[in-house]
Amino acid sequence: MDKFVYFNHFAFEVKRLNHPILLDFPERFETERLLVRAPQWSDGELVNEAIRESAEELRKWLPFARNIPSLEESESFVRKARLNFYGEDRHGAAPV
């Protein structure tokens, strides 16, 4: 039996499936004020810029924010996040 799960005002159809890879989950959804989406290739530049802009505030509360990542490190992080979003491991294969 299919049913719906509601997250804020978004409805996601949930089906009883034998394996998580078969679940359908939207790559993006948005409201007037918010966009939630899977990480995209080349988002590293945006992430790095956001970290740099907020570094002083972040350092007050988050010890790991003492070191600002390089652009290459930010892009690497984003690419790994994209693969994780799709459930792929570091070798590019979907987990079984």
Side-chain angles (χ1 to χ4, degrees):
M1 171 184 272
D2 297 347
K3 54 183 166 176
F4 290 88
V5 173
Y6 293 90
F7 177 74
N8 287 336
H9 63 278
F10 296 102
F12 298 101
E13 188 173 359
V14 177
K15 298 179 181 181
R16 290 191 161 273
L17 300 170
N18 293 330
H19 197 284
I21 194 107
L22 300 174
L23 293 175
D24 290 333
F25 187 82
E27 186 166 316
R28 66 183 284 146
F29 50 93
E30 59 187 291
T31 68
E32 289 181 27
R33 298 178 48 207
L34 177 68
L35 166 65
V36 177
R37 65 171 173 77
Q40 303 294 307
W41 305 129
S42 77
D43 275 352
E45 186 174 351
L46 295 171
V47 169
N48 191 271
E49 182 181 332
I51 292 170
R52 289 179 182 284
E53 287 177 3
S54 14
E56 286 304 314
E57 287 300 313
L58 291 173
R59 285 185 185 121
K60 293 177 186 176
W61 307 103
L62 305 170
F64 65 82
R66 289 191 180 110
N67 299 320
I68 296 175
S70 68
L71 185 55
E72 184 178 274
E73 290 169 325
S74 294
E75 183 62 27
S76 176
F77 173 82
V78 164
R79 288 175 182 235
K80 289 174 187 172
R82 181 165 178 85
L83 293 175
N84 285 336
F85 179 84
Y86 289 106
E88 296 177 351
D89 68 11
R90 62 192 169 100
H91 301 292
V96 181

